[in-house]
Amino acid sequence: DIQMTQSPSSLSASVGDRVTITCRASQSISNYLNWYQQKPGEAPKLLIYATSSLQSGVPSRFSGSGSGTDFTLTISSLQPEDFAAYYCQQSYITPHTFGQGTKVEI
Amino acid sequence: QVQLVQSGAEVKKPGSSVKVSCKASGGTFSSYSMTWVRQAPGQGLEWMGRIIPFLGITNYAQNFQGRVSITADKSTTTAYMGLSSLRSEDTAVYYCARGVRDGYNRYYDIWGRGTLVTVSS
């Protein structure tokens, strides 16, 4: 199975901060990398697919980049509603494994 | 707007089985895959398996091989996830999610609200 490793596991930030989360795959996954946001008690929500494509309705302050094994999710200016957990997921090969998550806290 | 409506919470004894349903309403069913993901309390997301209804193909994570069964009924646009030989570590929220194919990439754009399965004696 492909292992996905996110860093950091958690971070503290303030409203307006620029936040970057990294995700590393144990082997090359081309650009088959998706990002999800999850708030407590809710289902995950798709933010970005295929590394850098913004899902419809997701604010443009979210962006993604990378290829091969190294990927990043960037929030350009953190908003109060962005405090949540974020997960990367590879879809290069099944099982479509997730990273362990990054919790963004105030 | 497509919605995925999952069945209600379950409490099961160790060694028993559970079957969770996920009904897709408001859109097509067979054109997409349906995936099951679980989340143990306070933990991350774990991919369990998927079904591609129009191909009749299933894939399962090795961790669940032999214990999980994912099926789909196209006539009722409902997917099912069965898990057998339950143990306390299977206590989790189980989500279904619609898989969209975008070129060679797949992503999960619509999720059910989750079904809590509690395994306890």
Side-chain angles (χ1 to χ4, degrees), chain B:
Chain B
Q1 175 72 359
V2 176
Q3 286 187 308
L4 300 179
V5 180
Q6 297 187 224
S7 50
E10 302 261 13
V11 179
K12 293 292 183 180
K13 300 285 189 188
S16 67
S17 300
V18 69
K19 192 170 187 178
V20 181
S21 67
C22 172
K23 180 172 176 59
S25 61
T28 59
F29 180 73
S30 295
S31 304
Y32 303 93
S33 63
M34 197 66 74
T35 291
W36 290 87
V37 173
R38 78 175 185 181
Q39 186 170 38
Q43 303 300 309
L45 303 172
E46 184 176 22
W47 192 91
M48 299 180 67
R50 70 167 179 187
I51 187 165
I52 306 174
F54 75 97
L55 293 176
I57 290 174
T58 53
N59 302 103
Y60 301 120
Q62 188 68 32
N63 287 350
F64 301 97
Q65 285 282 1
R67 287 207 302 141
V68 68
S69 177
I70 296 174
T71 57
D73 184 337
K74 287 181 281 187
S75 67
T76 61
T77 63
T78 302
Y80 299 90
M81 186 283 299
L83 190 62
S84 61
S85 303
L86 290 169
R87 37 209 187 226
S88 58
E89 309 90 89
D90 294 318
T91 294
V93 175
Y94 290 77
Y95 294 101
C96 60
R98 186 179 80 165
V100 176
R101 183 172 180 176
D102 171 49
Y104 289 105
N105 188 45
R106 279 193 186 273
Y107 56 87
Y108 305 113
D109 66 336
I110 297 173
W111 293 66
R113 297 182 69 174
T115 296
L116 175 62
V117 175
T118 303
V119 182
S120 174
S121 56

Side-chain angles (χ1 to χ4, degrees), chain A residues 20-60:
Chain A
T20 298
I21 298 168
T22 64
C23 178
R24 174 165 288 177
S26 60
Q27 67 180 75
S28 177
I29 57 171
S30 185
N31 71 327
Y32 304 147
L33 190 283
N34 309 310
W35 289 97
Y36 301 85
Q37 175 194 65
Q38 187 181 33
K39 297 180 179 179
E42 298 184 4
K45 172 189 172 184
L46 176 69
L47 294 178
I48 288 171
Y49 61 94
T51 298
S52 58
S53 296
L54 203 63
Q55 172 68 348
S56 175
V58 174
S60 58

